Amino acid sequence: MTLQHIERPIGIGRRDGGNGFGTEALRLAGRASARILSRYGLLLGFLALWQVAASSGWVNAAVLPPIDAIVAALWKGLAGGSLLGDIAISLQRAGLAFAAAVLVAIPLGLVMGQVRSVETALDPILQLFRQTSALALYPVFILLLGLGEASKVFVIFWATLFPLLLNTISGVKEVDPKLLEMARVYGARRLTIFRRVVLPGAVPSIFVGLRLGATTALLLLIASEMIGANKGIGFQVMNAQYNFQIPLMFAAIVILAALGLIANQALVSLQRRLCRWSNAVG
Amino acid sequence: MATARGGEVTIRDLSKSFALGGRQLAVLRSLNLDIRSGECLVIVGASGSGKTTLLRILAGLEKADGGGVAIDGREIDGVGEERAVIFQEPRLLPWLTVLGNVAFGLEVRGVPKAEAEKRARFYIALVGLAEFSDAYPTQLSGGMAQRVGIARALTVQPEILLLDEPLGALDAMTKISMQEELARIWSEENVTMVVVTHDLEEAIYLADRVLILPKEKGGAARLIDVDLPRPRDRSESRFVRYREELLREFGLH
């Protein structure tokens, strides 16, 4: 047997014999707060600057209300329930559109990445559609589907489709041909190769598409709700601005930002679970 | 572990050429060769001499233009269950553990997962990676990853093991220890082994016979018997003489 030099990560912290528990805990706490400060310090500073600038009259508080006024408006809207209906309808629109885009784009992308003739036939029209802004097409969708839910969901679906589709296609096409050849050597048939090599190999790229798609869905959600809606977070942003309820407007913007962060975080943790191999670097 | 089960290769009038800038470039010209059951044949030759092409034809990954290859009397057409290939890169699936990768070959051949993993564990132990069964490929060094590739090929218990510059990407120290390991595995597994390499010392260390492919047109392939006891000693005078003989073949001595 030969010896192999093996490097393994060391998971246990070294403990110096002489130190008491108290100093150890203090040092750990110090290190933890240093970590938080280096990561969130700039953000906290930004918020503090905003608060000071708005409450001391450096900026017009009617346009940039202080943080505490925004938090109060947010609390009132959530606890009082007036914003909950808007959140629900917005989630429904974005969720439906996103789910439909996933159901269409991933299977279609898997086929297009595998079967050259399908890709050749569909690519020109997809490139044309992709380069045409979904917002430019929104009036067309309104003409076709009316000003109700259908056109809103459809425009979100439309815009979400492309990042998902293109990333799925490239995920399939970028699977290492050497791995495909390896599977072939062991006698794997086309379907087995697809299931055991192509599909898992494309998952990271599909997740890139999912995350881009989620961002796109929220973006189009707001745009569509700003035109011809009477409910939804996007509508609230516009409506509060018209009525000069500026803290409420910022509260709605904060909700949007939170939705984006939550969606992204959910996808990231799902990816971590499905792709443990890709971040299991020793 | 296994007894000799065939694995005899007959190569007749094999030729292959590639189109290169509008011209046909012949890499193999009517090659005839018999590979004996259970022997270790090492193929050397300058780059462009067609050694990797020959191995890929034996693997069934490329088609010859003329002539043919028979294994135990049967003409081959594409890949086959009696052969396994070890490539220069380990070609592991990054989303599978060592165990999953080694069992992969058996699983795609329809062996139930439990049975495949049981056999995989045996060969993982054989290449000395038993404690790394649950590790992912990104956690392994180059030499360890290549051993996983070797274990995967052995797990399907091929009659013929085809190795395409299997140690070409490893550092010098790892390479020497892996050569020893390959020689050991070959003697234990009683498998026919065909190795392509450009490392002449590796050729002499492993081979029963060395096939030297000619570079220029009209040159003939040459076979050299390596008549040395195993395990081989690189510093022994006869080993050194074989090395000088091979170097002369390449006009380097």
Side-chain angles (χ1 to χ4, degrees):
Chain A
M1 189 78 313
T2 53
L3 283 176
Q4 183 82 35
H5 175 68
I6 296 151
E7 278 182 304
R8 302 173 80 176
I10 295 161
I12 306 153
R14 230 193 8 241
R15 189 161 292 189
D16 307 347
N19 278 350
F21 179 75
T23 48
E24 180 81 0
L26 258 177
R27 220 180 38 192
L28 282 177
R31 217 181 298 153
S33 53
R35 210 168 41 231
I36 290 169
L37 208 64
S38 70
R39 183 160 166 72
Y40 296 107
L42 219 52
L43 176 64
L44 292 172
F46 168 72
L47 292 176
L49 183 68
W50 182 331
Q51 174 70 21
V52 172
S55 54
S56 63
W58 298 347
V59 294
N60 185 353
V63 177
L64 275 183
I67 304 283
D68 62 301
I70 296 170
V71 172
L74 185 63
W75 177 251
K76 202 175 124 210
L78 291 178
S82 61
L83 282 177
L84 292 180
D86 294 304
I87 295 175
I89 190 83
S90 286
L91 281 179
Q92 187 191 315
R93 284 167 184 152
L96 265 176
F98 186 74
V102 168
L103 288 178
V104 173
I106 292 181
L108 184 61
L110 292 175
V111 172
M112 284 181 70
Q114 284 268 286
V115 187
R116 186 170 291 267
S117 59
V118 178
E119 205 214 349
T120 314
L122 281 176
D123 190 59
I125 193 164
L126 282 177
Q127 291 300 337
L128 175 69
F129 285 168
R130 182 168 80 104
Q131 298 303 336
T132 314
S133 160
L135 281 176
L137 291 173
Y138 189 35
V140 180
F141 298 150
I142 292 175
L143 281 178
L144 291 172
L145 299 166
L147 200 51
E149 289 303 299
S151 62
K152 288 185 181 52
V153 172
F154 194 80
V155 74
I156 303 168
F157 161 79
W158 182 263
T160 309
L161 195 63
F162 294 101
L164 262 169
L165 188 59
L166 295 170
N167 279 288
T168 307
I169 293 171
S170 75
V172 170
K173 289 175 90 172
E174 277 160 26
V175 170
D176 188 354
K178 289 180 167 171
L179 293 180
L180 303 179
E181 189 180 73
M182 180 279 295
R184 209 148 61 80
V185 161
Y186 286 101
R189 306 232 175 273
R190 201 164 174 169
L191 197 67
T192 311
I193 292 180
F194 177 76
R195 199 170 51 83
R196 304 246 10 212
V197 183
V198 175
L199 198 58
V203 164
S205 182
I206 291 175
F207 264 98
V208 172
L210 286 172
R211 286 168 65 183
L212 279 172
T215 310
T216 311
L218 285 174
L219 193 73
L220 266 290
L221 169 75
I222 304 319
S224 71
E225 285 181 342
M226 285 180 171
I227 304 167
N230 52 21
K231 226 170 170 13
I233 310 288
F235 163 77
Q236 280 301 346
V237 175
M238 276 318 252
N239 195 49
Q241 195 242 15
Y242 282 142
N243 299 327
F244 221 70
Q245 296 170 294
I246 303 304
L248 179 64
M249 180 187 84
F250 276 104
I253 293 174
V254 168
I255 291 172
L256 282 171
L259 286 182
L261 284 173
I262 291 167
N264 190 56
Q265 197 51 51
L267 285 169
V268 167
S269 26
L270 184 64
Q271 183 177 14
R272 285 235 172 87
R273 284 192 53 168
L274 282 177
C275 305
R276 266 185 311 134
W277 52 274
S278 65
N279 40 42
V281 180
Chain B
M1 148 173 182
T3 53
R5 301 156 292 172
E8 210 171 64
V9 185
T10 319
I11 299 170
R12 286 292 170 263
D13 295 322
L14 196 71
S15 50
K16 174 84 182 174
S17 52
F18 291 101
L20 195 78
R23 286 187 314 145
Q24 285 298 107
L25 186 73
V27 288
L28 294 171
R29 286 173 290 274
S30 285
L31 179 76
N32 285 289
L33 176 70
D34 293 307
I35 303 171
R36 302 168 198 142
S37 169
E39 88 164 311
C40 178
L41 179 87
V42 178
I43 306 170
V44 297
S47 49
S49 62
K51 50 191 195 298
T52 288
T53 305
L54 174 57
L55 197 89
R56 289 177 62 84
I57 291 172
L58 293 179
L61 290 171
E62 266 175 55
K63 292 252 184 285
D65 297 334
V69 176
I71 290 170
D72 300 326
R74 284 187 312 277
E75 196 84 10
I76 64 162
D77 177 32
V79 300
E81 296 216 338
E82 74 287 348
R83 281 161 284 156
V85 185
I86 293 167
F87 300 96
Q88 179 170 359
E89 325 79 24
R91 301 200 186 183
L92 305 180
L93 299 172
W95 49 89
L96 295 182
T97 60
V98 167
L99 181 64
N101 267 292
V102 176
F104 178 81
L106 280 178
E107 282 181 33
V108 300
R109 288 183 181 186
V111 175
K113 196 179 165 93
E115 168 67 17
E117 288 190 348
K118 197 178 133 210
R119 265 161 74 182
R121 280 186 198 283
F122 175 83
Y123 286 98
I124 291 170
L126 186 81
V127 298
L129 289 176
E131 18 166 1
F132 293 93
S133 292
D134 297 324
Y136 284 94
T138 47
Q139 297 170 298
L140 304 177
S141 71
M144 291 160 82
Q146 191 57 301
R147 284 194 231 186
V148 177
I150 293 170
R152 178 177 60 197
L154 292 172
T155 302
V156 297
Q157 296 182 320
E159 292 169 16
I160 302 164
L161 203 53
L162 303 164
L163 301 93
D164 185 11
E165 299 188 24
L167 312 179
L170 302 178
D171 64 87
M173 300 297 287
T174 313
K175 199 167 174 172
I176 287 177
S177 71
M178 290 290 285
Q179 286 165 2
E180 289 167 4
E181 193 140 337
L182 276 180
R184 177 182 65 86
I185 287 167
W186 171 75
S187 65
E188 282 176 19
E189 290 296 306
N190 209 345
V191 61
T192 306
M193 212 155 88
V194 181
V195 187
V196 163
T197 184
H198 51 234
D199 181 331
L200 299 182
E201 189 178 294
E202 182 170 294
I204 302 160
Y205 189 81
L206 293 173
D208 288 322
R209 294 189 296 165
V210 178
L211 175 72
I212 305 161
L213 288 177
K215 166 88 174 156
E216 70 286 350
K217 274 202 188 80
R222 260 203 73 191
L223 270 171
I224 294 177
D225 279 285
V226 182
D227 185 17
L228 290 174
R230 294 176 187 266
R232 288 178 176 163
D233 176 358
R234 291 163 213 273
S235 57
E236 196 207 345
S237 63
R238 284 186 298 164
F239 192 102
V240 176
R241 271 205 300 280
Y242 274 114
R243 196 164 164 272
E244 284 168 356
E245 188 181 343
L246 277 181
L247 281 170
R248 252 196 313 279
E249 285 288 329
F250 287 93
L252 293 170
H253 197 72

